[in-house]
Structure formats: C-alpha cells, structure tokens
Amino acid sequence: MSETELNVSLLRKLILHFYKGNLNFFLMPKDIETMDWSWQQAFLDATVNSKLIQEFPISSKFASLFLKKIIQTLEPNQEVHDDFYTQLCKSMKDLNKDGFSYRHYVIGNDINNIITIKETRNLVVNGTTGLKTWEAALMLSDWALCNQDKFENKTVLELGSGVGFTGITIGKLCNLKSLILTDCHDEVLKTISENISINFPHCKQETNKDITFFKAEDKSLGVMQLDWNAIKDLPNSIVPDILIGADIVYDPSILKPLSNVIQTFCARNKDLEVYIASVIRNEETFNGFLKTLDELNLDHENVELSKSVYIEWDESINKCLLKIKAKLK
Ligand SMILES: C[S@@+](CC[C@H](N)C(=O)[O-])C[C@H]1O[C@@H](n2cnc3c(N)ncnc32)[C@H](O)[C@@H]1O
C-alpha cells in the first residue's frame, strides 16, 4: 500500500470512528507518521469543523475523549493542529451541560449517508425512555433496509417511536408512500418533529387535528400522539399496511394495551403485517407478550436476524424480531 493510500484509508477509518461514537482505535507508529498537518486538517474539516457537526454538535463527553486520545497520540511525534486544542477546550467547557446532543448514524459506512438524531444519552429522562435511540431501533432499521421491497409504496405506522430513528431512517431510505411516527409522551413527540425537520430539511409542514405532516416530494412523514391506553381516540381513517415498533415490549403493565392496539389495526386491515423488534431483557415479560397476543387471536413467528448490514447493532444480545398477523379464521 502506498503512503497516500494509507493516509486516506486511515482518515476514513478515524472519521467513521468519530461519527460512530467509537473510541476503540489503536494507531501504529507508521500510521502516526502519516498524520501530518494536512492529514489533521482533512480530519478536522470532515469532523469537528464540518458544517454538520457545527450545526448539530455531538456529545461533549465523547468529543473531549476522542480529541484527547488523538492529541495524546500525536503530541510525541507530530506538530498538533491548533484546532484540536481549540475544539477540545470547547467540548470540555460544555462537559457539565447535561441533556441533548446529536448523534450521526452512518448508514452502510457511507459518510455521505447520515441520519442525524437529537437525543440524550440517559436511559430515562423526564419520566420516559423515549429520548434516546435503543438497540432494537438499530436492528429493526437495519432489517428494513435489507428488505426494502416490503416497504415499496406502503403506508407504515410506528408505535412508540421514541426520538424517531427507525421511522426517519425507513422513511428516508425506503420507497414508501407514508409513515406515521407515534408516541404518548409530549417531549418525545416534539423531539421526533425536530428530528424529521433535520433529516428532511426541505419538507413542508402541515398540521391537521390529529397529525402533523412533513411532506417531502414523493412521500410524507407524520407525527401523531398515540397512547396505547387510549385507543378509543385512534382516528378511524388510519389504516396502515405495515405496523412497526422497536423496544416497546418491556413493561408488563403495557402488554395488554399494546396488544390491543395491534389487534385494532389488524381488524382494520386483514393483510396488515406487524414487525416488533425487541431486546429480551426479561424472558417472563417477553413470554407474557406472546401469551397476550395468542389470547387476542394474533399469530406470531420469528424473523431471522443474523448480522448488521447497513447499521451496526450489537449482535451478541438476546434479541427477537417478531412478525405478527391476525390468526386465519
Ligand atoms: C424503550 S423506548 C423505545 C423508543 C424507540 N422505539 C427506540 O427503540 O429507540 C419505549 C417507547 O415507548 C413509548 N411508550 C411507552 N408507553 C407507551 C404508551 N402507553 N403509549 C404509547 N407509547 C408508549 C415511550 O414513550 C418510548 O418512546
């Protein structure tokens, strides 16, 4: 490999680590030799100095750890670009600001194909688990991108969307007709709308009584409040072809209301396909969900999930993608 090639491949590798929030890299002395001033400039331009990161900053904690690691690696061997120190000071100053930052999910390792999501790093904020992206959301989105033909020209509704990673990714990258993201929590719904606006900057926003629509050229994304405990409020006009949900089977008290919602949509469309992705943390809760589905005359089967393809997710976890359908009478 020539030195120029090494330089570019190292640049690509470290840029991907930065966007993926991954500190797990090791630099060999021969790598560090190629990280001269112009290499550093190119790295800074593609990351902390880029328009995307300036407008939508990543977590200060991760940024400071990443920059510190690069500076410490470079210092003994290279003159370090001033901007590394400037950016490190900036992120350290913001370190105690808790709350939201932006994550940039790289799709298919293509740095030009990024979904940006405003979210927190905390598991529960303001009484909801919905303000961060969970592992099942990554799994379900990856599976959808591998099975795009299923979504072709379809109307899709997502239950318990959280900050909206799954709905936005499928909505942006699959050729569907429309997708409605739903949740019960006001702050979550507000964050979904912000995230749609970030990822569809040219869409037109229209609000009717129940749904806020974001209309892009050939498709529309909607945001709607849907509380599984209040399905009587569900407008009759909503009849999706596909229902999806990620990490929504976790609380024994919502298994029945959640299953009722699924059953209601199945009754509206006998061909409805339902895909629910879960990380199984508690077998009893998960089996309770399967039992409730059965009691409501809903069939389920496991869809095979093997490896990450477009979006990295943790393959080692206990997981399940269920396909649910109304039982044939
Ligand atoms: C663990 S989070 C998963 C969020 C997102 N799907 C993901 O995987 O990143 C569970 C989501 O379900 C929503 N949720 C919980 N109970 C609900 C209910 N009764 N009705 C509607 N949504 C609910 C929460 O607000 C939260 O956004």
Side-chain angles (χ1 to χ4, degrees), residues 128-130 132-134 136-137 158-162 183-185 188 226-229 246-248 250 254:
T128 177
T129 52
K132 84 180 274 298
T133 299
W134 294 78
E158 183 181 11
L159 299 171
S161 298
D183 209 279
C184 61
H185 192 279
V188 171
L226 168 51
D227 184 337
W228 312 326
N229 288 302
D247 213 336
I248 51 177
Y250 59 94
I254 52 81

Side-chain angles (χ1 to χ4, degrees), residues 75-324:
E75 257 172 356
N77 307 287
Q78 292 278 6
E79 193 182 351
V80 180
H81 197 300
D82 298 346
D83 281 4
F84 274 111
Y85 298 109
T86 314
Q87 292 291 350
L88 177 60
C89 289
K90 202 166 140 207
S91 47
M92 288 184 72
K93 224 169 68 202
D94 293 342
L95 218 47
N96 292 328
K97 281 191 201 155
D98 209 8
F100 285 105
S101 58
Y102 296 87
R103 289 201 68 174
H104 304 280
Y105 294 90
V106 180
I107 311 296
N109 277 341
D110 176 359
I111 211 71
N112 297 311
N113 193 2
I114 282 181
I115 302 288
T116 295
I117 299 290
K118 176 180 167 181
E119 60 181 280
T120 70
R121 295 212 147 201
N122 304 326
L123 305 187
V124 181
V125 178
N126 298 343
T128 177
T129 52
L131 291 171
K132 84 180 274 298
T133 299
W134 294 78
E135 205 63 29
L138 307 178
M139 265 160 37
L140 179 57
S141 313
D142 191 34
W143 173 82
L145 295 186
C146 293
N147 292 277
Q148 294 195 28
D149 51 324
K150 284 195 189 304
F151 292 86
E152 185 83 31
N153 213 22
K154 292 285 169 35
T155 57
V156 183
L157 185 136
E158 183 181 11
L159 299 171
S161 298
V163 282
F165 175 77
T166 306
I168 291 172
T169 302
I170 298 178
K172 187 158 181 175
L173 301 174
C174 294
N175 204 8
L176 43 74
K177 195 191 278 176
S178 68
L179 191 150
I180 300 178
L181 296 92
T182 71
D183 209 279
C184 61
H185 192 279
D186 288 339
E187 193 176 358
V188 171
L189 291 164
K190 185 172 152 269
T191 311
I192 297 176
S193 294
E194 286 181 54
N195 282 330
I196 294 178
S197 299
I198 292 170
N199 290 283
F200 293 85
H202 304 299
C203 63
K204 289 204 182 77
Q205 194 173 329
E206 281 169 24
T207 303
N208 74 15
K209 188 161 62 62
D210 304 301
I211 312 180
T212 301
F213 284 107
F214 296 80
K215 295 199 167 164
E217 278 149 30
D218 52 345
K219 56 179 91 160
S220 85
L221 263 73
V223 180
M224 181 179 83
Q225 185 148 45
L226 168 51
D227 184 337
W228 312 326
N229 288 302
I231 37 168
K232 60 174 188 353
D233 302 335
L234 189 63
N236 286 326
S237 56
I238 297 178
V239 186
D241 302 311
I242 301 180
L243 198 62
I244 55 172
D247 213 336
I248 51 177
V249 180
Y250 59 94
D251 171 359
S253 74
I254 52 81
L255 299 182
K256 188 74 201 299
L258 172 60
S259 305
N260 281 336
V261 174
I262 297 174
Q263 191 199 38
T264 302
F265 280 115
C266 282
R268 286 183 184 185
N269 173 6
K270 68 175 179 27
D271 296 321
L272 178 75
E273 291 185 7
V274 186
Y275 296 97
I276 305 292
S278 302
V279 168
I280 305 175
R281 303 182 188 88
N282 182 321
E283 295 274 355
E284 208 179 312
T285 306
F286 192 72
N287 291 335
F289 179 57
L290 301 183
K291 188 162 167 270
T292 315
L293 292 176
D294 195 50
E295 286 163 4
L296 291 178
N297 267 329
L298 297 168
D299 260 339
H300 67 265
E301 62 182 85
N302 283 8
V303 178
E304 199 185 332
L305 274 178
S306 47
K307 280 186 176 317
S308 312
V309 179
Y310 294 97
I311 299 163
E312 278 175 30
W313 45 271
D314 181 355
E315 289 158 16
S316 68
I317 47 175
N318 189 9
K319 60 190 170 289
C320 179
L321 175 61
L322 281 183
K323 178 176 178 183
I324 301 167

